[in-house]
Amino acid sequence: MNVRQPKIGPQINTTFVGGPLVTPRRYRSLYRSRIKRMLDVVFVLLVLPPVAVIMLFLVLMVSLDGGKPFYWQTRIGKHGRHFRMLKLRTMVRDADSALQSYLEQNPDAKEEWDKTQKLRYDPRVTRSGRVLRKTSLDELPQLWNVLTGDMSLVGPRPMMVNQSSLYPGTAYYLLRPGITGPWQVSARNETEFAERAVYDTRYLQAMSFPHDTGIVLKTFRVVIRGTGV
């Protein structure tokens, strides 16, 4: 598996999340180095039976839109290593071509994509995909990535390979990407992509069992409210 050196993107204003950005200290507590990983594995094993039942229903729902219910996508992990992330399919076939065509015909959408790497209205998303994204249930298969050690329950949003040059920081590369995390439960639909570096750095500084537990509880509220995109 290839190892990529972290890339430092353009500088950004770091004062919009409760004060100036502070460079994180490079240290490991017992929780960060061992307990967090142990809790990840235990949690996945405990929730596996009920999640399996939910997944059967979701797979059937996605299949009704045509195509395979799952897909793998290469993402950047800890220390810049690439890994294959598993998700429920929420997009049409040839989604990349559909996006390129849509952005070429819609300058406003292209500007939104360049800033946030997301679209409020995404023409690639299927009917079932809109439901899955609103509830964040398309992320459930990533429990497999947690079990294999590529991801954690809580951490930065997994970064796509072509987004690394847009990321203005290094905190992401010191952490396992998370199914949920500070950015995912906060202003996820209202921030520019580069601002994720601030959330990641502050999470690196504050990472602890109580902090992670608080994020998990907030995640349930996000799922219930259906504020995902």
Side-chain angles (χ1 to χ4, degrees), residues 2-227:
N2 296 330
V3 178
R4 295 191 127 196
Q5 294 297 322
K7 295 181 179 180
I8 308 298
Q11 295 299 312
I12 59 173
N13 181 358
T14 59
T15 61
F16 40 70
V17 188
L21 180 65
V22 180
T23 303
R25 297 179 181 178
R26 302 184 64 180
Y27 67 91
R28 288 175 176 267
S29 66
L30 183 60
Y31 176 76
R32 299 182 185 206
S33 62
R34 297 187 180 183
I35 297 178
K36 180 176 172 67
R37 173 60 187 154
M38 180 185 70
L39 292 177
D40 280 345
V41 174
V42 171
F43 179 86
V44 172
L45 294 178
L46 287 176
V47 302
L48 200 54
V51 166
V53 176
I54 296 172
M55 284 297 301
L56 286 175
F57 172 77
L58 296 179
V59 166
L60 177 61
M61 183 175 72
V62 173
S63 298
L64 292 176
D65 275 331
K68 298 179 180 179
F70 297 102
Y71 79 98
W72 297 89
Q73 188 177 55
T74 302
R75 296 291 178 110
I76 300 176
K78 189 176 181 179
H79 302 314
R81 292 185 175 89
H82 291 184
F83 71 96
R84 298 179 71 202
M85 187 179 75
L86 183 62
K87 293 191 71 174
L88 281 168
R89 184 176 59 83
T90 60
M91 295 186 180
V92 298
R93 297 177 182 178
D94 299 322
D96 291 338
S97 298
L99 174 64
Q100 185 64 30
S101 177
Y102 180 74
L103 295 181
E104 289 175 356
Q105 299 173 26
N106 296 272
D108 290 342
K110 186 178 187 307
E111 182 179 357
E112 180 185 358
W113 177 263
D114 290 342
K115 287 183 178 180
T116 66
Q117 294 292 290
K118 296 176 74 70
L119 294 173
R120 290 183 181 275
Y121 171 75
D122 195 326
R124 301 170 296 171
V125 180
T126 62
R127 287 178 301 176
S128 63
R130 296 191 190 283
V131 176
L132 292 172
R133 288 186 168 211
K134 282 290 183 182
T135 57
S136 299
L137 289 174
D138 59 317
E139 315 285 355
L140 273 181
Q142 291 167 33
L143 289 172
W144 168 255
N145 293 112
V146 174
L147 201 58
T148 60
D150 290 320
M151 293 179 63
S152 177
L153 291 174
V154 182
R157 181 175 177 82
M159 191 191 306
M160 292 189 290
V161 175
N162 61 0
Q163 293 174 331
S164 60
S165 61
L166 304 175
Y167 185 84
T170 58
Y172 178 92
Y173 302 96
L174 302 177
L175 298 160
R176 285 188 178 92
I179 295 179
T180 187
W183 179 84
Q184 293 93 312
V185 299
S186 56
R188 55 192 280 179
N189 301 333
E190 302 171 0
T191 58
E192 296 184 6
F193 176 83
E195 295 177 31
R196 295 185 192 180
V198 177
Y199 289 93
D200 296 346
T201 300
R202 295 192 183 283
Y203 174 69
L204 180 62
Q205 295 170 334
M207 186 167 54
S208 64
F209 178 70
H211 190 62
D212 280 358
T213 302
I215 291 175
V216 171
L217 294 176
K218 288 180 181 178
T219 301
F220 287 117
R221 291 203 293 269
V222 169
V223 171
I224 293 173
R225 292 174 181 173
T227 57

